[in-house]
Amino acid sequence: MEAQQESIAALEAEIRELQASLQRKKDELHSLKQSTVTAGKLTNNDIARYSRQIILPQVTVAGQLKLKASSVLIVGAGGLGCPAGLYLASAGIGELGIVDYDTVEVNNLHRQVLHSELTLNLPKAQSARAALQQINSQLKVRTYEVQLKSENALEILQPYDIVLDCTDNVATRYLLNDACVLLKKPLVSGSALQFEGQLTIYNYNGGPCYRCIFPTPPPPETVTNCGDGGVLGAVTGVIGSLQALEAVKVLLKLDGTLAGRLLIFDGTASSFRNVKLRPRREDCAVCSAKATITKLIDYEQFCGMRASDKDMALKVLQSDERISVEDLKSIRDSRKPHLVIDVRNPLEFEICHIEGSVNIPLKQIIEDKGLDDLKQRTSGGIPVFVFCRRGNDSQLAVKHLRKKLEGVAEAKDVVGGLHAWHYRIDNNFPIY
Amino acid sequence: MGGTDLPLVLEFGGGAELLFDNVKKRQVTLDGSKTWKIKELLGWIRDNLLRERPELFLQNDSVRPGILVLVNDADWELLGELEYELQPNDNVLFISTLHGG
Ligand SMILES: [Zn+2]
């Protein structure tokens, strides 16, 4: 058995190396072929390749040339970005940008169809680029292996004609909306969860932006991500493919786009529903004449949620603003007065919590709900220690609380949260 | 009977149905001898359909942020939001927005 495991590992390593050298050859070939791409006219190869869509009266030679001269930015190379990229690359779009800081995980493969067993652990942007250029060697792809943030969004979006929101979290959706409004770019926004999907185009043809429809972000405890709620691959496939369709229609300036309408897909009933959205809000915070947002803001703070759909080690605090589980344990053992706050949502608090801890969800902390009560409980400098599941949300809470409790008490983040408590202090404490 | 009934179709989607025994579509009949605005319908839903944690559906006398209300497939904002007066056989859809991908 063990010998077999070793041979498998050795072979896998060898294949990975061969793949890397194959990819280098492919890149070399691709850059040679790129030099043969002719701008402004269709080659014989283009005509043959795209003939089935060129003969459509909505496309024609002029339309195909437009697509060839177009650039599309795909934000998120996941369940939506993969099928969207597939159809855009195949349709002969000249240039695609792909933004994704993540690597390919095995739990992605049921829906993220550009990635494969062979590209596990590779950056998703690279994996997607290789798959797309294998399909279409004429395609230019630019990859951005970074998290989209207020600091880099405008620069990354700037060169593209249109942006596809294929992301997985609320904060990035607000960020993309505001960036597209500021840059006057249409935003094809898709989303999916479980058996359902939603799709529209924001900020296009006089239609509303995301903030016109949703001026206020949803309470964090009402937001479910794919990791927690699950999602069917074919459902993201439907929505991602439709995002490519809408992008092509925008690039060809065709009528009938989803601007001003929302498409709702229910995979359980295989039903599509098309609803009419409100027009632009006259008092929209970003797209109206009365806009108060004229540059990008801190979207994690605005939403009270992190810009990710999974746990990752966030570091927003200095080390003296944090405490280890071991040090907290000795403070608790010494029975010195202190207050433990747990910032998870009430449902999770119900699953398990540190004895004597008080549940104040992150959103409430950000909104300063119960701040006066908190000031009273900590008056005289009673130290506050803040927990969450893995020590990310608690940092956002502490960052906020340190400002609000200044001169009253000091708040510290418990590094690693309840997970660290389980692994290093109390193995009987449940983990989820 | 008949003349004094206000029949409505209520639908819930995007996860909002989880607050309503996972039922996506239901037929309800309200007392048609008085007029019903959507804000009154919300109160009726809270009292008659919502089982637990009303704050996940309602906030400050309206639906919570992130839920879109559609009357006969049109954004309720086009119809006066809370002040819209319901008509017999109106279809009211409450859809929670999705953020995953
Ligand atoms: Zn707007």
Side-chain angles (χ1 to χ4, degrees), chain A residues 177 181 207-213 280-281 284-288:
Chain A
N177 179 71
V181 170
C209 81
Y210 188 51
R211 276 185 196 269
C212 291
I213 317 286
R280 263 171 198 243
R281 277 179 79 109
C284 175
V286 70
C287 81
S288 72

Side-chain angles (χ1 to χ4, degrees), chain A residues 74 79-89 96 164 166 237 239-241 243-244:
Chain A
I74 299 174
L80 301 168
C82 286
L86 197 58
Y87 282 104
L88 291 172
L96 290 182
L164 265 54
C166 302
I239 300 298
S241 306
Q243 282 182 280

Side-chain angles (χ1 to χ4, degrees), chain A residues 79-80 111 167-170 173 191-193 196-198 210 213-214 216-219 221-223 226 264 266 268 273 275-279 346-347, chain B residues 11 13-15 17-18 24 53 55-56 59 64-70 72-78 81 91-93 95-101:
Chain A
L80 301 168
R111 71 184 189 285
T167 63
D168 54 17
N169 67 83
V170 183
R173 287 180 184 274
S191 59
L193 186 70
E196 288 181 72
Q198 295 168 1
Y210 188 51
I213 317 286
F214 302 108
T216 312
E221 65 269 26
T222 66
V223 174
C226 292
I264 301 167
D266 182 348
T268 60
R273 192 156 172 171
V275 301
K276 188 172 192 277
L277 294 172
R278 69 197 68 176
L347 277 182
Chain B
E11 293 191 73
E17 72 278 10
L18 295 173
K24 282 189 168 174
R53 307 199 67 202
E55 73 277 12
L56 296 185
Q59 258 179 36
R64 67 147 170 92
I67 290 182
L68 190 59
V69 184
L70 300 144
N72 303 322
D73 287 345
D75 191 334
W76 70 334
E77 211 257 6
L78 296 163
E81 289 198 340
N91 176 299
V92 188
L93 167 64
I95 191 122
S96 180
T97 50
L98 307 176
H99 308 95

